[in-house]
Amino acid sequence: MASSLTKDSATPAPEKTFFGHPRGLATLFMTEMWERFSYYGMRALLVYYLVSGGADAATGSQGGGLAMTAATTTAIYSVYVSMVYLMAMPGGWFGDRVWGARKTVAIAGFVIMAGHLSLAIPGQAMFFVGLVLVAAGSGLLKANISTMVGHLYDGPDDPRRDGGFTLFYVGINLGAFVAPFVVGTVGKEHNWHLGFALAALGMGLGLAQFLLGTKNLSPKSSEVPNPLTPEERKAVLTKVVLVVLGIAVFYGAVVALGAYTLNWALVPLTLAGLLIPIAVLTRIKRDKDLSGAEQSKMTAYIWFFVAAAVFWMIYDQGGSTLSLFADDKTADTVFGFAFSATWYQSLNPLFVMALAPVFAWLWLWLSRKNQEPNTIVKFSMGLVLIGASFFVFIVPMGMATGDTKVSPMWLVTIYMIQTIGELCVSPVGLSVTTKMAPQKYASQMMGVWFLAVTAGDCTTSLLSIGGVDLNGTWVIGFQAAAAVLAGFAVYTYRKKVQALMGDVH
């Protein structure tokens, strides 16, 4: 009897955790890791598939791509990346007002997988269908999965919260690191469309992980925080239908007149990517509901936004301008070991995983000594570093004349400098965005931050469409000088910007 009572009153088994965090974090970690595997794997192939030609596209053998020029390739790549970040804003809106975060992420997973499968089908038409689907799905997922990580914890003061987001960030970079070795190598060196199919498989594994692990997620993830009223839903549907019909009629007329070229798609998307960020910032800045302090902070925030756009304009050329140089002008062997040019795309996530803890420790150590640079100085450091990376790039460009190929260590150095710059800008920018956001726009400002990436990439695209050779030495030098000058300008006006920031440091 006594033993029975002892057994019945035994302490329940401790709840299973993921490195001390809620089990749901494992689900979101794996989902994001596989989604990033699919995204960065496809991105590592993108420019090479676009410029490759001379073989049967149905076989996907060496050659067999779309045989586009370097300028058109850079424009398409830049527009594609910009659209991924632009779609983060409507993605967040869907999560907040239509489906809830959990349902939105599930739908996004299916859309992304369908996009990669479309890319796996030979032909230019399916290629562009695939790009649209991947961009739309990535925007839907990006805006909501981070929100679901936050739902796992007991508010912003939960001591595990920062550690949870750090683990989640490791998942992002782990997927991005592995993808170019697998998807990139198979796609570029063996069969383009098999590579895209592997990206689809990666997203499929992430989606399966998500659907199987939903029981471990917070119930808040299924809620729609601010659902549309029936009247709002009807108004939104009406506007969407009218816009879609208008676009269909316009492009139908262009095609019927025989005037359609690729620029009819690229130019409007590029201009939208530049005008939408300006319109969003203007609307927030002119909102009469904002207090004087909030207005002042928004003025300061515009400085950070423009600086970030300049930074991403250069940084994201790591997947276009630098990738083309890697394939054409950089040796593909080290100590007799041959490797694919896609492998360079693994350097950034590798350096992020290696250096992020170092920078976290460094800022903390400097803070204890009361010597940590403030947000403005960190931003100016990031701009100077990204500019310096392109000044370094000029050296191997000058060396790679004729059939001469330069050492891979030049690109390793450039990517490392850019990653150090990223660690001065990206996490700091995310943090300052949450601190300076007006209360009315608290949930929307993260989407506004992503618009800086859109603006930067669309600037690159517009230059390419305008006939500027971004692979030219003088253009690389001009961009490098612009970034360094922007960094010095931010530093020079730091006291003025700090005054506008009020109590934010």
Side-chain angles (χ1 to χ4, degrees):
M1 185 73 174
S3 61
S4 176
L5 283 171
T6 302
K7 183 178 179 180
D8 291 342
S9 59
T11 304
E15 182 183 355
K16 292 182 179 179
T17 63
F18 178 64
F19 294 105
H21 292 268
R23 283 287 300 278
L25 184 61
T27 297
L28 299 176
F29 176 98
M30 295 299 291
T31 303
E32 181 70 354
M33 185 191 76
W34 283 114
E35 188 273 331
R36 292 289 89 182
F37 173 90
S38 71
Y39 174 77
Y40 281 98
M42 182 276 281
R43 210 175 83 159
L45 286 180
L46 188 55
V47 295
Y48 298 129
Y49 178 67
L50 286 168
V51 298
S52 178
D56 183 5
T59 68
S61 60
Q62 285 290 19
L66 298 183
M68 294 184 177
T69 65
T72 302
T73 293
T74 300
I76 292 172
Y77 172 86
S78 300
V79 166
Y80 164 69
V81 174
S82 72
M83 290 302 109
V84 168
Y85 287 91
L86 181 62
M87 291 300 294
M89 284 200 78
W93 182 85
F94 270 98
D96 286 342
R97 308 216 63 189
V98 183
W99 292 324
R102 187 183 302 191
K103 187 175 181 180
T104 304
V105 167
I107 291 170
F110 280 108
V111 172
I112 293 169
M113 188 167 62
H116 289 304
L117 288 172
S118 298
L119 293 170
I121 300 171
Q124 186 167 311
M126 292 307 296
F127 172 80
F128 286 110
V129 168
L131 279 193
V132 170
L133 290 173
V134 175
S138 297
L140 286 170
L141 187 139
K142 180 182 288 291
N144 290 282
I145 196 163
S146 296
T147 301
M148 295 172 70
V149 174
H151 288 162
L152 297 171
Y153 300 96
D154 298 325
D157 296 327
D158 190 320
R160 302 171 299 168
R161 187 183 180 92
D162 286 351
F165 274 98
T166 301
L167 274 174
F168 183 69
Y169 196 57
V170 169
I172 292 172
N173 285 284
L174 192 59
F177 171 71
V178 174
F181 292 110
V182 181
V183 178
T185 303
V186 170
K188 185 176 186 300
E189 308 303 331
H190 300 285
N191 186 297
W192 297 115
H193 303 290
L194 181 58
F196 292 132
L198 283 175
L201 175 63
M203 188 63 254
L205 290 171
L207 184 58
Q209 173 74 33
F210 181 77
L211 296 175
L212 289 171
T214 51
K215 61 182 181 292
N216 297 317
L217 301 176
S218 167
K220 282 184 68 177
S221 298
S222 297
E223 297 173 2
V224 182
N226 182 25
L228 291 172
T229 63
E231 293 78 13
E232 288 174 324
R233 187 180 294 269
K234 183 178 178 181
V236 169
L237 283 173
T238 301
K239 289 177 182 177
V240 169
V241 170
L242 290 174
V243 169
V244 170
L245 283 175
I247 292 172
V249 169
F250 176 78
Y251 280 100
V254 171
V255 171
L257 291 170
Y260 181 80
T261 64
L262 190 57
N263 280 349
W264 278 98
L266 292 178
V267 172
L269 288 173
T270 298
L271 292 176
L274 289 170
L275 295 175
I276 289 173
I278 294 171
V280 170
L281 286 171
T282 302
R283 179 173 62 86
I284 295 174
K285 186 72 180 68
R286 290 183 174 178
D287 192 330
K288 291 182 172 55
D289 291 340
L290 302 189
S291 66
E294 288 177 327
Q295 285 280 2
S296 179
K297 288 177 182 177
M298 280 305 302
T299 301
Y301 186 76
I302 290 171
W303 278 79
F304 292 111
F305 186 93
V306 173
V310 173
F311 178 89
W312 295 118
M313 178 184 73
I314 295 177
Y315 180 88
D316 276 341
Q317 289 182 58
S320 55
T321 306
L322 285 173
S323 286
L324 293 172
F325 185 84
D327 195 39
D328 294 337
K329 299 295 185 179
T330 309
D332 59 359
T333 58
V334 175
F335 301 119
F337 177 78
F339 59 93
S340 172
T342 61
W343 290 18
Y344 288 107
Q345 297 304 302
S346 290
L347 288 172
N348 171 253
L350 174 65
F351 288 141
V352 167
M353 289 188 288
L355 296 176
V358 176
F359 270 72
W361 171 83
L362 177 64
W363 299 141
L364 188 60
W365 180 71
L366 289 172
S367 177
R368 287 171 180 163
K369 300 181 71 173
N370 202 30
Q371 294 178 351
E372 181 186 6
N374 64 22
T375 299
I376 305 167
V377 175
K378 288 176 183 176
F379 251 76
S380 63
M381 289 167 58
L383 283 167
V384 170
L385 283 166
I386 201 70
S389 75
F390 262 28
F391 276 129
V392 172
F393 186 26
I394 291 172
V395 179
M397 289 182 78
M399 295 168 61
T401 56
D403 294 330
T404 303
K405 294 198 172 187
V406 301
S407 166
M409 290 308 297
W410 282 107
L411 286 181
V412 172
T413 302
I414 292 165
Y415 280 115
M416 184 172 70
I417 295 171
Q418 291 190 347
T419 302
I420 295 172
E422 178 194 3
L423 292 171
C424 292
V425 170
S426 186
V428 175
L430 289 168
S431 176
V432 81
T433 297
T434 60
K435 291 176 182 177
M436 295 174 68
Q439 186 63 37
K440 182 177 179 179
Y441 298 98
S443 62
Q444 297 179 42
M445 282 298 288
M446 201 56 70
V448 174
W449 167 251
F450 287 137
L451 289 180
V453 185
T454 298
D457 282 307
C458 282
T459 302
T460 303
S461 178
L462 196 61
L463 290 171
S464 296
I465 293 169
V468 176
D469 180 13
L470 291 172
N471 301 289
T473 304
W474 76 269
V475 179
I476 297 296
F478 176 79
Q479 292 179 83
V484 171
L485 288 173
F488 279 115
V490 170
Y491 184 78
T492 301
Y493 286 92
R494 65 191 183 281
K495 292 182 180 178
K496 178 181 178 181
V497 178
Q498 186 61 66
L500 291 168
M501 292 170 69
D503 57 353
V504 177
H505 295 287

